[in-house]
Amino acid sequence: MKIKRFMFALVLPLLGVGLAMPVTAHASGWKRGTPKAVRGSWFNKGVHNKKKNIGWTAFGADKHSFGVGHMGMPSVTVYHPFYKYAHHTYFLKGYAPKNGLWLGSNLLFKVVKKGKHLHLVSNKGTYENVTLYRDKVRR
């Protein structure tokens, strides 16, 4: 009888703590692949004037990878990416392997879709608010 009371006295507080903890599900977790909204070929011809000299930028995505190329730099391709969607913004992340001068590293890109355009921002500030337009030419 004493053992039953002891077990009950031990289990009751643990059960109370377990029921008091909230159970939440995070629907905004990281998902595999790339979102359908950003798939395809996107480009920016760049700006060339006295105040700014920004070259072209290209962004391409399919179901299992995405890549970014910038004028004169090696293109960076991320295979097996993950994405998260929050407030009209897609966060794309993954590992880009070595390619030429690119030594390979983990990347995080922020892609904001506004109408028919995309705004691309990287985590290191390489592509600051580059507006991308849908590429009409199939490659």
Side-chain angles (χ1 to χ4, degrees):
M1 192 67 158
K2 289 184 180 182
I3 294 175
K4 288 183 182 179
R5 285 184 184 174
F6 177 73
M7 292 299 284
F8 183 73
L10 184 65
V11 171
L12 187 62
L14 293 176
L15 184 63
V17 170
L19 293 176
M21 295 290 234
V23 178
T24 59
H26 297 288
S28 64
W30 292 96
K31 297 169 184 65
R32 289 180 183 248
T34 57
K36 289 182 180 180
V38 300
R39 290 182 193 166
S41 297
W42 302 83
F43 74 99
N44 182 336
K45 291 182 181 178
V47 177
H48 301 286
N49 60 29
K50 292 179 181 177
K51 294 181 181 178
K52 281 187 174 181
N53 188 9
I54 301 171
W56 58 267
T57 301
F59 176 83
D62 61 10
K63 188 174 182 179
H64 301 289
S65 66
F66 71 90
V68 178
H70 191 62
M71 185 177 120
M73 300 305 291
S75 61
V76 176
T77 304
V78 175
Y79 300 102
H80 310 294
F82 292 90
Y83 76 94
K84 183 188 282 192
Y85 179 75
H87 306 291
H88 306 289
T89 303
Y90 294 97
F91 296 95
L92 302 171
K93 75 174 185 176
Y95 179 78
K98 181 180 179 186
N99 180 15
L101 296 174
W102 176 258
L103 298 177
S105 74
N106 289 317
L107 294 174
L108 176 67
F109 286 98
K110 178 180 171 184
V111 179
V112 180
K113 185 153 186 186
K114 293 187 177 181
K116 295 182 180 181
H117 310 300
L118 292 180
H119 293 282
L120 178 68
V121 180
S122 74
N123 62 343
K124 295 180 182 175
T126 310
Y127 309 100
E128 289 294 330
N129 291 326
V130 176
T131 302
L132 300 170
Y133 305 94
R134 178 75 71 173
D135 193 357
K136 299 200 189 306
V137 179
R138 294 284 182 191
R139 296 180 190 181

